[in-house]
Amino acid sequence: MTLEVRISRRLPGFVLDVDFEVASGITVLFGPSGAGKTSVVNGVAGLSRPDEGRIVSNGRVLLDTKRGIQVAPHRRRIGYVFQEPRLFPHLSVRGNLRYGQRFAGRRGRPGDLDAITEVLGIGPLLDRRPGALSGGEKSRVALGRALLSSPDLILADEPLAALDAARKAEILPLFERLRDDLGVPVLYVSHSAEEVARLATTVVALSRGRVIAQGPALEILGNPSVTPVGPRAAGAVLEARVAAHHADGLTELDAGGLPLFVPGHAGKVGAQTRLRIAAHDVMLSLDPPERISALNVLPGRVETVTEAEGPGVLVRLETPAGPVLSYVTRRSASALGLKEGLGCHAIVKTVTL
Amino acid sequence: MTWLGPEEWEAVALSLKVSLWATVVSLPLGILTAYALARWRFPGRQILNGLVHLPLILPPVVTGYLLLLTFGTQGPLGGPLQEIGIVFAFRWTGAALAAGIMAFPLMVRAIRLSIEAVDPRLEAAATTLGAARPMVFLTVTLPLILPGVLAGAVLAFAKAMGEFGATITFVSNIPGETRTLSTAIYAFLQIPGGDSSALRLVVVSIVIAMGALMLAEWLSVRVARRVSGR
């Protein structure tokens, strides 16, 4: 399954001109508000018409302005999870879930409703009205409804933006399951670096209507010159394995042979996990730090020093665990004489899984 | 019916028939017009809006006279229609046409308001789930506006029951054919000793009008509740 998107469209203030591909897994369209992300997904869904472009889903041409092809939105087989749930108020939860299923006809499998209700944990809600659901419940029903229309691809436009932190924590794992178990490719729009770190297989970074970088998530997030939402929100992502659980409540991870400690019980021993180290949570020290409270210190070597907006620079370190980004002031950078090849230590204040 | 005399009852029954037909036939057109005015942007939209509301503002006698000119047996539409056996002038069908046109603005207003209360984003969501345009209308828009449509129909029915000016101008006041409730009251008032009949019909009018208004009010409360999904 692939989706090729090439869209250009004149928008108020700038021109949207993007060209990217979506393969299996979750592709995150990552960029700040106003970068044109929603215009891209609306174009893919057929809800808005680009001035020019070509969209091909799994070999099916959905749009080709040169050849005058424009498939109607209801024939595109593209599920859309909107920022707000958009449930039909006059139908029960069951009615909402079945809505897309009946148009899917033969492509839908009869057992799907039970399986998806089970995965999303919405079985007890089936006979309720949307007005009687909480925000998190509505989001889950909206996701289920899109899945049950048996789409070739799911578009998700910041589906967590309107939810509080607890609800986000409840919905995020569902997208992970979607990626890992259900095999439906997802084009996910987000301006949150945490969501990208957690979900993305591939990242397409968007800024002012243009794709500034695209590639595997770890590569893009570790690249100090790609900071679509600003250097403060930058942060590298490492892959690690859960090594042990300690009696004092810490979990030990093994990242490329280096031990890292995170609070809490994080997954089974042996499980692979991703962890994100925000650039502003990393201090640099030229000498091995002694007698400090931070648990995680990664030895490394400066790979690049990149000028960032504001008073800071982004330093990329190569460590045995993988690349780590650090956001330090320009003054500190010159005081330490940070330059390519210099050995130093990254002192990590917080690691998020 | 003992309370109402045969002549009076005839007028009430005819009015019910005329109003029912006027409402039922104009309803699909009313929904289409309301939808077009609420959702489509097309040249001439303001002109359509004006035309729909014209019967509300014009003196009814003018509307009746225009109908007579158009649908009279010599009229540009009346003539050809007569050839295929459809006659409006001086028939109860003409009374229904007049009543339908006079009630149309009220019907369209009520339906249009309920369409404007439907979030277009719900309709967009339905298309991404595989529903074609007409299907979106039938499965999302129409169920959500149904109470508003019923309210519009009830209002139109009540208005049609009371129609006088356009009716008497277009189809006259023929007992048993075009003598509706209102024209009957008028006729009874013209003859000595007719006021008791007129009064009874007045009571019938008030009851029907009040009943219709209350029903319309109750239905419009339901629109709001339905659109909020509780």
Side-chain angles (χ1 to χ4, degrees):
Chain A
M1 165 68 208
T2 53
L3 176 80
E4 300 162 47
V5 181
R6 188 169 56 72
I7 288 178
S8 69
R9 187 174 183 215
R10 192 167 293 278
L11 290 173
F14 64 94
V15 175
L16 178 73
D17 191 359
V18 296
D19 189 348
F20 63 93
E21 261 183 48
V22 175
S24 52
I26 297 184
T27 302
V28 178
L29 203 53
F30 180 39
S33 310
K37 307 185 296 290
T38 301
S39 300
V40 172
V41 283
N42 279 345
V44 173
L47 297 180
S48 70
R49 192 181 191 283
D51 299 331
E52 222 201 305
R54 189 175 141 89
I55 299 169
V56 183
S57 162
N58 237 354
R60 257 174 93 220
V61 178
L62 299 182
L63 177 84
D64 191 331
T65 47
K66 280 215 184 75
R67 284 159 57 201
I69 299 174
Q70 190 184 8
V71 175
H74 68 278
R75 292 187 205 279
R76 293 200 173 190
R77 304 206 293 253
I78 287 181
Y80 200 148
V81 181
F82 299 91
Q83 218 170 89
E84 56 307 312
R86 300 199 192 182
L87 300 180
F88 303 125
H90 60 295
L91 298 177
S92 64
V93 167
R94 191 192 307 274
N96 270 281
L97 291 171
R98 286 223 170 114
Y99 189 87
Q101 206 179 20
R102 59 177 152 156
F103 299 113
R106 240 165 291 145
R107 287 181 295 115
R109 293 169 297 275
D112 279 1
L113 184 69
D114 298 333
I116 285 175
T117 356
E118 169 80 35
V119 170
L120 300 177
I122 49 180
L125 309 176
L126 285 177
D127 295 315
R128 302 253 288 271
R129 284 296 190 112
L133 302 181
S134 72
E137 289 169 339
K138 282 182 190 164
S139 297
R140 281 185 277 162
V141 175
L143 178 57
R145 183 178 68 173
L147 282 171
L148 283 166
S149 65
S150 305
D152 293 341
L153 172 88
I154 293 255
L155 302 173
D157 185 7
E158 307 206 18
L160 308 183
L163 300 176
D164 58 45
R167 297 290 88 73
K168 277 182 188 163
E170 179 188 317
I171 308 297
L172 260 175
L174 297 176
F175 277 97
E176 288 176 320
R177 284 199 69 174
L178 203 68
R179 177 189 65 195
D180 301 337
D181 303 350
L182 295 174
V184 186
V186 180
L187 178 57
Y188 188 104
V189 167
S190 180
H191 65 252
S192 148
E194 285 82 11
E195 278 171 44
V196 181
R198 183 121 178 226
L199 295 175
T201 319
T202 313
V203 175
V204 176
L206 206 63
S207 175
R208 289 197 63 72
R210 288 181 194 272
V211 175
I212 53 172
Q214 58 180 312
L218 300 194
E219 201 176 286
I220 299 289
L221 293 169
N223 184 344
S225 55
V226 180
T227 52
V229 294
R232 294 189 164 278
V237 173
L238 303 176
E239 279 190 325
R241 193 176 51 79
V242 178
H245 296 296
H246 293 283
D248 57 358
L250 291 179
T251 296
E252 185 181 336
L253 303 170
D254 172 0
L258 281 177
L260 286 173
F261 296 91
V262 292
H265 188 95
K268 283 194 209 85
V269 172
Q272 279 291 327
T273 180
R274 266 189 191 182
L275 49 95
R276 174 179 141 85
I277 301 175
H280 61 76
D281 279 340
V282 179
M283 289 194 283
L284 296 179
S285 163
L286 293 181
D287 306 312
E290 280 166 19
R291 312 216 296 175
I292 56 162
S293 65
L295 287 171
N296 298 309
V297 177
L298 302 166
R301 194 161 291 281
V302 175
E303 211 174 351
T304 54
V305 179
T306 311
E307 287 293 316
E309 310 156 24
V313 295
L314 272 176
V315 181
R316 179 172 148 126
L317 292 183
E318 193 54 51
T319 76
V324 171
L325 292 184
S326 171
Y327 183 67
V328 298
T329 59
R330 203 162 285 132
R331 184 180 294 185
S332 315
S334 61
L336 293 180
L338 294 178
K339 61 177 198 305
E340 200 187 317
L342 185 72
C344 74
H345 294 80
I347 303 161
V348 181
K349 281 183 277 186
T350 346
V351 174
T352 42
L353 287 174
Chain B
M1 189 62 73
T2 49
W3 183 65
L4 288 173
E7 263 183 290
E8 296 152 39
W9 176 243
E10 194 176 61
V12 172
L14 180 69
S15 260
L16 288 170
K17 178 165 97 169
V18 161
S19 306
L20 203 65
W21 275 97
T23 309
V24 167
V25 173
S26 62
L27 194 58
L29 199 63
I31 295 173
L32 182 70
T33 311
Y35 194 85
L37 289 176
R39 285 289 157 81
W40 297 339
R41 295 288 169 270
F42 53 94
R45 182 169 155 269
Q46 282 312 319
I47 295 173
L48 178 65
N49 192 32
L51 275 178
V52 165
H53 285 90
L54 209 54
L56 206 60
I57 298 138
L58 275 183
V61 62
V62 172
T63 308
Y65 185 55
L66 288 173
L67 282 173
L68 189 59
L69 287 180
T70 318
F71 289 98
T73 46
Q74 309 298 318
L77 284 178
L81 282 172
Q82 194 180 18
E83 309 241 317
I84 56 166
I86 300 170
V87 179
F88 285 110
F90 307 108
R91 299 282 172 82
W92 74 267
T93 47
L97 178 65
I101 284 178
M102 294 300 290
F104 202 61
L106 288 177
M107 176 188 275
V108 170
R109 275 186 97 82
I111 300 174
R112 181 181 170 172
L113 281 177
S114 65
I115 292 174
E116 282 166 353
V118 174
D119 188 347
R121 293 179 304 177
L122 292 176
E123 294 163 321
T127 60
T128 66
L129 291 165
R133 272 294 166 125
M135 204 58 186
V136 173
F137 180 78
L138 287 177
T139 57
V140 176
T141 320
L142 195 57
L144 288 174
I145 64 168
L146 202 56
V149 169
L150 291 175
V154 170
L155 271 177
F157 180 81
K159 170 73 183 163
M161 283 297 287
E163 218 300 302
F164 177 78
T167 309
I168 204 164
T169 316
F170 181 32
V171 293
S172 185
N173 191 358
I174 307 160
E177 184 66 38
T178 63
R179 176 166 289 178
T180 60
L181 196 59
S182 318
T183 53
I185 293 173
Y186 174 73
F188 281 126
L189 289 176
Q190 302 302 306
I191 49 167
D195 16 352
S196 61
S197 294
L199 262 179
R200 280 196 290 274
L201 289 180
V202 164
V203 171
V204 173
S205 314
I206 292 174
V207 168
I208 292 174
M210 277 305 285
L213 270 179
M214 284 161 72
L215 187 60
E217 196 59 36
W218 181 76
L219 288 170
S220 63
V221 170
R222 296 204 37 149
V223 182
R225 206 176 302 159
R226 189 149 195 163
V227 173
S228 72
R230 290 186 206 289

